[in-house]
Amino acid sequence: TETRSAIAMGNMMRRFSENEPYKIAWHDDGNQAVIPFVAMSPLPVSEAEVNGRKINLLRDTGGGILMVDSGIASSLGIAEIDSDEGIYAGGKTREFSYGKAYSLTLAGVTLHSFPIEMTPVSWISTDINTSEEFVINGIIGIDTLRHFLTTIDYPGQRLVLQPRQHRLRPNSPRTEHHVCREEVTVPF
């Protein structure tokens, strides 16, 4: 129910009372992180590190907070804070747990102290371009991507993250022109 969901989310967010959730630490020059796609399933998949462990994350802008396979989360010592039931693609419901991860590293940027959903989400998929199999261990959704100026660059096969206050510059990833010579910018 909505009331149960609100209670579960509230219990989880109280765990952040001492730490600011989604604290961003840029590596190197701090202007952008370029994360290559490792596969297309048909949604883009990129490698990331959660609490120091490399995993493959499917990018789903219709998704919510970072979702990590419950077995991986358990092996990383991420404790269950509360649980709830979610409605996913096709109207299917599934039980999940909330937890608190300490780091998510995506190439040139690391998020510290953020909420995650833990549920069995690992599966083997096939790259639509190469027909090679790979494992998906989680889903990165809009609640994580919204902390950045986000570009999903399909022709360039990459995700580009920049600070939200970043201004568009000529020849930046958001203003490159590809085959169609047109640009559509959708801010997240």
Side-chain angles (χ1 to χ4, degrees):
T1 67
E2 263 186 58
T3 303
R4 172 70 191 125
S5 294
I7 291 169
M9 179 64 83
N11 288 339
M12 188 216 17
M13 292 310 292
R14 274 191 281 287
R15 297 290 175 104
F16 293 93
S17 62
E18 296 176 13
N19 301 71
E20 175 188 345
Y22 293 105
K23 186 171 170 106
I24 299 171
W26 293 94
H27 308 187
D28 302 323
D29 66 11
N31 291 323
Q32 69 179 12
V34 178
I35 304 101
F37 298 168
V38 296
M40 294 289 290
S41 174
L43 297 173
V45 177
S46 294
E47 188 176 87
E49 289 184 23
V50 174
N51 290 4
R53 180 170 174 184
K54 289 184 181 183
I55 64 172
N56 288 325
L57 295 175
L58 180 84
R59 199 150 11 278
D60 182 1
T61 56
I65 65 176
L66 182 69
M67 186 181 296
V68 176
D69 180 74
S70 50
I72 290 174
S74 177
S75 74
L76 293 171
I78 299 174
E80 178 182 325
I81 295 171
D82 208 329
S83 63
D84 199 0
E85 186 174 85
I87 301 173
Y88 299 95
K92 296 179 182 175
T93 60
R94 176 183 281 180
E95 181 88 11
F96 68 90
S97 300
Y98 284 117
K100 178 180 176 182
Y102 295 99
S103 67
L104 169 67
T105 300
L106 298 157
V109 65
T110 300
L111 287 172
H112 294 281
S113 190
F114 57 94
I116 65 168
E117 286 183 15
M118 301 177 290
T119 192
V121 290
S122 283
W123 71 91
I124 296 174
S125 190
T126 304
D127 187 305
I128 62 172
N129 296 322
T130 66
S131 299
E132 292 181 31
E133 289 187 343
F134 60 95
V135 177
I136 294 173
N137 311 104
I139 300 170
I140 188 168
I142 196 67
D143 280 355
T144 303
L145 297 176
R146 72 182 174 87
H147 296 278
F148 304 97
L149 179 61
T150 301
T151 302
I152 302 174
D153 179 3
Y154 283 94
Q157 296 283 294
R158 64 190 183 157
L159 174 71
V160 179
L161 303 176
Q162 297 172 311
R164 285 182 60 95
Q165 69 277 12
H166 188 80
R167 294 204 177 266
L168 299 179
R169 301 180 317 259
N171 300 320
S172 76
R174 292 184 87 59
T175 59
E176 290 177 6
H177 295 283
H178 296 285
V179 177
C180 68
R181 295 283 183 217
E182 292 181 22
E183 176 184 343
V184 177
T185 301
V186 180
F188 288 99

